[in-house]
Amino acid sequence: MRMIRAERRILPGARRRGGFVIPMPHTRSGQKHIQAYVQTLRPAVADIAATLEVDRAALADARDLNAIGAAYLGAFLDDLGRHLAGGAAAAH
């Protein structure tokens, strides 16, 4: 029986972001699976952006993932604040 040795280094094609290794598939079928996954997420992101009233056009040119995440988080917190303020006003 042959033993497979586990390597602790980053494999070719992998990218390190924030301490995590994101494997990037090299095969055509692997890349198609990633594209299918992204395509299923796009409508959900569009629904979230519409619900939170995020200006997606303003974020279209943004490349900084932290800035994009901050915009969505800020919109979520603003929406939550409106809901809590409306609930507090209705309770009085």
Side-chain angles (χ1 to χ4, degrees), residues 52-66:
L52 296 176
E53 299 174 359
V54 173
D55 185 8
R56 291 184 72 195
L59 295 175
D61 295 331
R63 297 286 177 230
D64 182 17
L65 297 179
N66 291 330

Side-chain angles (χ1 to χ4, degrees), residues 8-89:
R8 293 190 62 95
R9 61 190 174 110
I10 298 175
L11 299 174
R15 295 183 184 158
R16 183 175 291 278
R17 290 191 182 176
F20 295 98
V21 175
I22 303 170
M24 302 300 287
H26 294 286
T27 63
R28 182 174 288 165
S29 66
Q31 291 173 357
K32 284 184 179 181
H33 280 83
I34 295 294
Q35 286 298 323
Y37 180 71
V38 168
Q39 292 300 327
T40 58
L41 289 178
R42 283 192 181 172
V45 172
D47 289 345
I48 292 169
T51 301
L52 296 176
E53 299 174 359
V54 173
D55 185 8
R56 291 184 72 195
L59 295 175
D61 295 331
R63 297 286 177 230
D64 182 17
L65 297 179
N66 291 330
I68 295 170
Y72 275 86
L73 180 60
F76 171 75
L77 293 175
D78 290 344
D79 189 57
L80 180 63
R82 283 192 297 273
H83 283 293
L84 291 176

